[in-house]
Amino acid sequence: MDEEYDVIVLGTGLTECILSGLLSVEGKKVLHMDRNDYYGGDSASLNLTQLYRKFRPDQEPPTELGRDRDYAVDLVPKFIIASGELTKILVHTDVTRYLEFKQIAGSFVYRDGRISKVPSTEMEAVKSPLMGLFEKRRAKKFFEFLQGWRDDDPATHQGINLDRDSMKTVYEKFGLEPGTQDFIGHAMALYLDDDYITKPARPTYDRIILYTSSMARYGKSPYIYPLYGLGELPQSFARLSAIYGGTYMLDKPIEKIVTDSDGKFVGVTSGGETVKAKQVIGDPSYFTGSDDGKVRVIEEGKVIRAICILKHPIPGTDDSDSCQIIIPQNQVNRRNDIYIAMVSSTHNVCAKDVYIAIVSTIVETDKPELEIRPGLALLGPIYDKFVSITPLYTPTSSGKEDNIFITRSYDATSHFETVVDDVHDVWKRVIGSDLVLKKREVEVQE
């Protein structure tokens, strides 16, 4: 391995694969390595054998679950917001030609012991069982205010300044009840906790408009999902990288991150050989230990995820073949929301009549399995369950001093917006300028 590269990328998670794809398109010479023998890292989709090998190495998958190759079970439960930032990257890079998408059938919220559909327009708000008659009127006025807002027309502002006034002020102006605030803040603006309420209202306004415009795009829910599982996303960006000359090596354990006497990155050692590059980008799992005594990542918390195999749709969701359910933290006396993401054979991720539901949240106590119980209780009988508790790592430095650029762990959010934020952040640190998405044409041989 005596070639020198511009960038070595470690780990084939979605964040890393988007970056290697974009860097290759930009003309950088990229080498992409992963210790696993499959793509996706922490954001992979596993077949049945891989799933059982990961969680229960001594157990064979039950034959009644069907064929191994019918399964692509996501390790991280996330959906794509139809009008969101990941969609923009998919379209601009033309990666969509490798993927097929299906809608997620419904978006639900848990309130007072039951599941209800999340209203996303003033019309739906008026019909929603989540609110009483007078509250519906107030909510209708609130949605009309949001939809009618024009920055350059003070007549639409009703005395509110989105950049100065807090979301609390906006809720109070329309007299919205705490339960209504819950589903707006958590099931539409998709905040994990209530910290947003005391901050300026602009980001919440932007998030609600993103939700409603995504809803309007396809109808049933604001989310889309790739056929054959989320693991298809990193693989598609890996193809993009390869078209532009990127090199991929799977099943390559990384023995050492090599630095010089000044602590600057030199190369990566794998299988006794060192390959050199100017910069390295990698997921945090490649930097938890340290060869030079430097702490490069710190743990900021943990996420618990329970992958549940069901033989039926989730009760109370109108027999949806897929859905998201959000349990706002106030409903279950927590600081963070609990999420349920469910997909099925409609999305080519499991055998017919099987449903895969993943319950997840940020760990708050020393008994994480008890914390997801309210989510598990909504699923009905569970055929099998695989629980993981994953640390959330964040890099300790920007990487500019030593040319070692580390991505963040996949958080507990139910979508990919924070992943794209990380892509933009790492890109700016590596390249030194903002990521500008340009539409490019690629010659494809027939």
Side-chain angles (χ1 to χ4, degrees):
M1 291 208 232
D2 36 1
E3 274 188 272
E4 181 163 347
Y5 292 85
D6 292 319
V7 186
I8 293 174
V9 181
L10 301 177
T12 51
L14 180 58
T15 315
E16 294 74 40
C17 285
I18 294 176
L19 284 162
S20 71
L22 293 171
L23 287 163
S24 299
V25 169
E26 198 71 13
K28 299 284 183 191
K29 189 175 179 184
V30 177
L31 171 64
H32 204 141
M33 304 167 84
D34 196 311
R35 63 168 81 88
N36 297 314
D37 60 0
Y38 52 81
Y39 283 99
D42 287 340
S43 59
S45 303
L46 305 182
N47 64 32
L48 267 190
T49 304
Q50 290 169 326
L51 183 68
Y52 275 81
R53 191 190 302 146
K54 183 176 174 67
F55 289 96
R56 306 216 192 106
D58 49 356
Q59 189 185 333
E60 289 292 310
T63 50
E64 67 173 284
L65 284 177
R67 296 179 307 186
D68 199 33
R69 62 193 170 92
D70 286 339
Y71 285 79
V73 179
D74 301 328
L75 293 176
V76 172
K78 287 184 183 284
F79 293 148
I80 300 168
I81 296 181
S83 298
E85 291 299 316
L86 180 57
T87 310
K88 288 180 191 162
I89 289 186
L90 288 166
V91 169
H92 277 276
T93 53
D94 228 8
V95 165
T96 41
R97 64 179 168 201
Y98 305 127
L99 298 159
E100 283 183 75
F101 295 95
K102 252 205 149 97
Q103 242 187 295
I104 293 298
S107 175
F108 297 85
V109 63
Y110 176 85
R111 172 138 176 228
D112 301 333
R114 55 178 293 197
I115 301 171
S116 302
K117 200 162 173 11
V118 180
S120 64
T121 62
E122 48 271 31
M123 292 307 296
E124 282 189 8
V126 173
K127 295 181 193 154
S128 174
L130 286 165
M131 296 171 283
L133 181 64
F134 294 109
E135 184 68 357
K136 282 177 179 170
R137 287 183 192 161
R138 291 188 284 266
K140 183 170 183 282
K141 287 200 166 77
F142 170 77
F143 283 123
E144 285 168 348
F145 161 71
L146 292 183
Q147 298 295 346
W149 178 278
R150 298 289 174 270
D151 275 341
D152 53 1
D153 181 1
T156 66
H157 298 180
Q158 299 189 30
I160 283 173
N161 181 325
L162 288 181
D163 299 305
R164 208 173 47 230
D165 293 331
S166 70
M167 202 58 209
K168 184 172 188 289
T169 308
V170 179
Y171 284 149
E172 283 171 356
K173 177 175 173 64
F174 290 93
L176 296 180
E177 295 167 359
T180 307
Q181 296 179 26
D182 262 356
F183 83 71
I184 290 169
H186 295 265
M188 297 179 76
L190 302 172
Y191 283 109
L192 288 169
D193 56 38
D194 269 350
D195 292 353
Y196 78 95
I197 288 182
T198 54
K199 293 176 181 166
R202 171 78 66 181
T204 305
Y205 163 80
D206 289 340
R207 280 169 167 239
I208 296 169
I209 295 299
L210 171 61
Y211 185 95
T212 52
S213 65
S214 298
M215 241 348 244
R217 209 161 156 178
Y218 298 114
K220 293 183 193 165
S221 87
Y223 303 110
I224 55 176
Y225 181 89
L227 289 183
Y228 304 104
L230 296 178
E232 293 295 296
L233 293 169
Q235 288 196 58
S236 298
F237 282 101
R239 283 188 190 173
L240 177 72
S241 173
I243 287 173
Y244 284 94
T247 305
Y248 274 75
M249 293 182 180
L250 296 181
D251 207 8
K252 283 277 180 196
I254 306 302
E255 283 131 32
K256 192 176 180 191
I257 308 290
V258 185
T259 52
D260 64 16
S261 55
D262 298 329
K264 284 197 183 307
F265 175 72
V266 173
V268 169
T269 305
S270 172
E273 288 185 81
T274 299
V275 57
K276 293 183 174 176
K278 299 181 186 78
Q279 296 170 307
V280 65
I281 298 170
D283 81 47
S285 68
Y286 289 88
F287 301 95
T288 49
S290 167
D291 297 312
D292 54 8
K294 246 184 115 174
V295 176
R296 300 196 190 278
V297 292
I298 49 169
E299 186 180 311
E300 282 198 322
K302 287 182 166 65
V303 178
I304 178 166
R305 300 182 175 106
I307 299 169
C308 301
I309 298 178
L310 312 178
K311 293 292 193 79
H312 54 82
I314 295 174
T317 60
D318 305 326
D319 287 343
S320 296
D321 61 22
S322 53
C323 66
Q324 177 189 68
I325 304 170
I326 293 175
I327 305 177
Q329 27 75 295
N330 289 329
Q331 295 290 317
V332 282
N333 298 321
R334 290 176 51 75
R335 178 159 162 64
N336 293 281
D337 293 357
I338 300 171
Y339 284 116
I340 302 169
M342 194 267 282
V343 284
S344 66
S345 56
T346 309
H347 308 85
N348 301 354
V349 295
C350 54
K352 196 173 180 314
D353 300 324
V354 173
Y355 299 79
I356 308 285
I358 307 184
V359 182
S360 60
T361 191
I362 291 174
V363 174
E364 297 176 12
T365 69
D366 57 359
K367 296 191 174 59
E369 289 220 34
L370 286 179
E371 298 185 44
I372 54 170
R373 197 176 272 176
L376 297 173
L378 297 177
L379 302 183
I382 297 169
Y383 176 84
D384 208 345
K385 182 174 80 186
F386 306 89
V387 178
S388 65
I389 296 167
T390 318
L392 288 175
Y393 289 115
T394 189
T396 56
S397 73
S398 71
K400 287 175 185 165
E401 291 75 42
D402 54 13
N403 289 322
I404 295 173
F405 303 91
I406 303 171
T407 59
R408 292 171 169 269
S409 303
Y410 296 102
D411 61 18
T413 58
S414 59
H415 50 77
F416 285 106
E417 298 302 282
T418 49
V419 172
V420 179
D421 290 343
D422 198 26
V423 166
H424 280 278
D425 179 43
V426 175
W427 178 273
K428 188 162 188 174
R429 286 186 275 140
V430 169
I431 298 295
S433 57
D434 288 332
L435 170 60
V436 180
L437 294 169
K438 309 187 209 44
K439 184 90 172 109
R440 284 189 166 82
E441 298 305 323
V442 177
E443 289 295 318
V444 181
Q445 293 178 332
E446 290 301 319

